[in-house]
Amino acid sequence: MQFTRQELCTRILEGQHLIIYNRKVLRIPASWLDAHPGGSLVLLHFVGRDATAEVDAYHNDQILPLVNKYSIGFLAEPGPWNPLLPPIAAGWARKDGEWVNEAATWNDSNQVFLVAKDSLALQKTAPTIEALTPSPSQLSLQIQEQHSAAYKALHKRVIDAGLYRTPYLTGYGPEFFRYISLGLISAYAFRHNWLLTSAFALGLLWHQLMFFAHDLGHMGVTGSWTVDRLISIVIADFIGGLSIGWWVDNHNVHHLVTNHPSHDPDIQHLPFFAISPKFFSNLYSSYYRRILPLDCGARFFIPLQHKLFFVVMAFARFNLYRRSYDWMVSQISQKRRARGGRWAVALEFAGVFVFWCWFGGIVLRGCGSWQKALAYILVSHVTTSPLHVQIVLSHFGMSTEDLGPLESFPGRQLRTTMDVICPDQWAFIHGGLHLQVTHHLFPRLPRHNLSKASLMAKEFAKEEGLTYVEFGFISANQEVMGVLREVAGLVSSLGQQVKLVAEVASVEAKEAVDKKIAQQYAFSRMDNASQAI
């Protein structure tokens, strides 16, 4: 069947989830939307768009043939596909088979972001074709298509070079030696009552293991969803007390809509951080499905964010516990879950239970006093803070603009992501993810092969006229501090403006009250005078 643009629009407005892949029209049924291992949002963000590059980047050769079973036809119009705006990008969602308008759109220089609606009541109307029409773009469709074609050729070079083959011995061999050594040091120190040494070693172990969990979450180790998920649950939940399911759900969205204020949960950190003044507008998060308010807490922390950055990062692991457990509890009420989701979520609950049994029931109780237990918790958790700095370092200093659905996959990743320059011998401290640009271009690529792929990616960027951004560790932190300081200054000036307006309003109100009192006094004098007469 041949699909015209009008036919695609009509079907999407009827509630169908249509995605373009290699000029094929894929219809994603609601049952698979809920069960997709990568989460439903990563599909919803590509309704009406060409997702060829993204699909190829996120699925291996065993899974890609299964994609074609959702094909219901081909595009009727020749040439590159001019994308539609996904309903979710305009604030629309499906609930119980009906359209719900969850947020309003705010257009700032042709950039569309979601903001709180004027009314708290959700509008059960339906979007129109105008809602699916993107704002005029400053980008060229032909150039973006050229970038996509060049990326496809680059991806083939990476595949042909064998970079998707996991280097188990040379790559993970030293990693496992490091994991075991840190675990033994922590246990030995604890046995000899060297509690702070034990806590420090345990924190380093958690720090290093999370990079391994990251690889497994991307199916970048064995390539099997089941095997990688099993290992990652052991690493993240049983040993680390965190939910790998939550992390994958969150992280996949981050990769596909990187640095978008309304859609990327990895930059939505109010009340502690805001990396763009767009967060001052009661922004609506399509991931959390709620407003991100600039409330009293945000007005206190944001002006100080550049000063408190490393302090907040030091305690960020506690927030990961909260996010993990919120997500796990939310999965209990889910009618459908991802492939293997039921056993995976059940195993995660078991893993978290076991974690708190050994960490809380054995380690912390074994410290001897609550003061020593508290010190153990603080040292072990603060030691993991370089991981949290690493997570935000490659994005906080980059663009948060929305160039619309027309932007190519490689163009968006290069614009919103930076590398951190690091000598090879120290790469393990960053978990290999200092090469974040290449990781975003090839998320399934084993991290021990990223350095080879980055050379190809830099050639690609140069040939396509794109910028491959990289900074040293210190200069990268300075970039992030600069952004945080600039936004902090803006919210401070905003607060001063609000205070000034309040003061002016107070003066005007006082003058109005004084005037009214004077009038009433004058009327009273007139009444008294008339009575005397």
Side-chain angles (χ1 to χ4, degrees):
M1 180 176 177
Q2 299 285 318
F3 283 88
T4 64
R5 188 177 186 83
Q6 180 65 40
E7 176 66 17
L8 253 70
C9 287
T10 300
R11 291 192 175 220
I12 291 173
L13 293 175
E14 290 173 352
Q16 296 184 24
H17 306 105
L18 304 182
I19 297 173
I20 311 302
Y21 174 68
N22 282 330
R23 297 195 59 78
K24 298 175 184 176
V25 177
L26 307 180
R27 180 181 178 184
I28 311 300
S31 58
W32 181 243
L33 187 75
D34 295 331
H36 183 239
S40 61
L41 286 178
V42 298
L43 295 172
L44 293 176
H45 279 297
F46 285 89
V47 170
R49 297 176 58 185
D50 189 332
T52 302
E54 288 82 357
V55 170
D56 288 343
Y58 279 85
H59 301 85
N60 59 33
D61 292 339
Q62 288 72 44
I63 298 175
L64 282 175
L66 302 177
V67 174
N68 293 321
K69 73 177 185 178
Y70 296 110
S71 175
I72 58 173
F74 296 85
L75 293 175
E77 302 168 4
W81 172 250
N82 191 7
L84 300 171
L85 185 70
I88 191 173
W92 291 93
R94 298 283 290 181
K95 187 175 182 180
D96 299 327
E98 296 181 349
W99 285 110
V100 175
N101 191 201
E102 295 186 325
T105 55
W106 164 51
N107 191 299
D108 178 26
S109 301
N110 293 329
Q111 298 178 50
V112 176
F113 298 95
L114 302 182
V115 295
K117 294 184 66 63
D118 294 335
S119 173
L120 295 178
L122 301 182
Q123 294 183 3
K124 289 191 176 182
T125 56
T128 62
I129 290 181
E130 286 72 22
L132 303 182
T133 304
S135 300
S137 177
Q138 59 182 307
L139 303 175
S140 164
L141 176 60
Q142 286 69 31
I143 292 178
Q144 297 308 305
E145 181 67 14
Q146 174 186 317
H147 292 336
S148 296
Y151 169 77
K152 188 172 185 177
L154 171 65
H155 198 179
K156 187 176 186 305
R157 284 182 61 196
V158 170
I159 295 171
D160 292 344
L163 298 184
Y164 274 103
R165 289 196 291 269
T166 303
Y168 292 108
L169 184 61
T170 60
Y172 283 110
E175 301 280 359
F176 288 135
F177 176 77
R178 193 176 300 116
Y179 303 153
I180 294 170
S181 298
L182 289 171
L184 290 175
I185 291 171
S186 180
Y188 182 84
F190 185 81
R191 185 175 180 181
H192 288 77
N193 207 34
W194 304 336
L195 296 182
L196 296 186
T197 301
S198 173
F200 181 66
L202 179 59
L204 290 178
L205 175 61
W206 284 340
H207 172 269
Q208 289 292 301
L209 281 177
M210 285 304 100
F211 293 123
F212 186 30
H214 173 274
D215 301 345
L216 292 160
H218 277 293
M219 293 175 56
V221 180
T222 70
S224 165
W225 185 91
T226 302
V227 175
D228 280 1
R229 181 53 59 92
L230 273 171
I231 300 173
S232 64
I233 290 175
V234 172
I235 298 298
D237 295 77
F238 282 80
I239 299 177
L242 302 175
S243 167
I244 190 66
W246 160 76
W247 180 85
V248 170
D249 186 74
N250 178 287
H251 197 65
N252 282 338
V253 176
H254 156 70
H255 265 267
L256 290 169
V257 286
T258 311
N259 267 26
H260 193 295
S262 295
H263 305 305
D264 182 0
D266 271 14
I267 65 168
Q268 296 174 346
H269 297 300
L270 287 178
F272 298 106
F273 300 122
I275 63 171
S276 167
K278 298 176 181 71
F279 286 99
F280 301 168
S281 306
N282 278 344
L283 212 63
Y284 182 85
S285 168
S286 62
Y287 181 83
Y288 295 111
R289 300 188 73 172
R290 63 177 176 83
I291 298 166
L292 305 176
L294 191 70
D295 55 17
C296 294
R299 290 183 185 278
F300 173 79
F301 283 108
I302 302 304
L304 304 172
Q305 62 180 356
H306 54 297
K307 299 178 181 179
L308 297 177
F309 175 71
F310 292 107
V311 176
V312 174
M313 289 293 104
F315 298 97
R317 189 174 183 88
F318 294 102
N319 184 54
L320 300 187
Y321 290 135
R322 183 177 70 87
R323 295 292 188 198
S324 293
Y325 305 154
D326 282 349
W327 182 86
M328 290 170 62
V329 170
S330 73
Q331 296 304 294
I332 298 175
S333 60
Q334 292 290 330
K335 295 180 180 179
R336 302 185 183 92
R337 298 193 187 97
R339 178 173 56 115
R342 291 190 179 278
W343 67 258
V345 173
L347 192 58
E348 288 206 66
F349 273 101
V352 169
F353 176 77
V354 169
F355 168 79
W356 286 110
C357 283
W358 74 259
F359 182 66
I362 298 176
V363 174
L364 296 183
R365 287 188 63 184
C367 288
S369 68
W370 70 265
Q371 294 93 337
K372 292 180 180 180
L374 179 60
Y376 196 101
I377 291 175
L378 291 177
V379 171
S380 61
H381 284 61
V382 170
T383 302
T384 67
S385 60
L387 168 65
H388 311 301
V389 174
Q390 172 71 53
I391 290 170
V392 305
L393 199 59
S394 293
H395 299 292
F396 270 27
M398 299 300 288
S399 171
T400 58
E401 291 184 34
D402 178 10
L403 299 188
L406 192 63
E407 187 176 23
S408 67
F409 171 68
R412 183 170 57 256
Q413 302 307 328
L414 286 162
R415 179 176 59 83
T416 58
T417 311
M418 75 163 78
D419 274 1
V420 177
I421 301 171
C422 173
D424 291 341
Q425 63 267 29
W426 299 112
F428 74 92
I429 296 176
H430 297 277
L433 296 180
H434 57 293
L435 299 172
Q436 193 73 191
V437 176
T438 304
H439 169 60
H440 267 250
L441 290 172
F442 309 106
R444 291 184 297 107
L445 204 67
R447 61 182 157 97
H448 303 96
N449 295 336
L450 286 175
S451 58
K452 296 178 181 178
S454 69
L455 299 177
M456 301 181 189
K458 289 176 182 177
E459 292 177 5
F460 158 80
K462 186 176 181 180
E463 292 169 357
E464 294 301 308
L466 298 169
T467 303
Y468 192 111
V469 180
E470 51 185 353
F471 286 95
F473 182 76
I474 294 177
S475 56
N477 274 282
Q478 289 173 340
E479 284 290 313
V480 172
M481 288 297 105
V483 170
L484 294 177
R485 187 179 298 108
E486 181 181 356
V487 177
L490 291 174
V491 79
S492 294
S493 62
L494 177 65
Q496 291 172 358
Q497 291 174 17
V498 171
K499 183 179 180 181
L500 179 61
V501 170
E503 289 175 350
V504 171
S506 177
V507 170
E508 291 178 346
K510 185 177 183 303
E511 290 177 348
V513 170
D514 290 344
K515 184 177 180 180
K516 189 171 184 61
I517 291 173
Q519 290 176 342
Q520 290 177 344
Y521 178 73
F523 289 145
S524 177
R525 292 284 303 274
M526 289 176 64
D527 288 343
N528 291 336
S530 63
Q531 290 175 4
I533 293 172

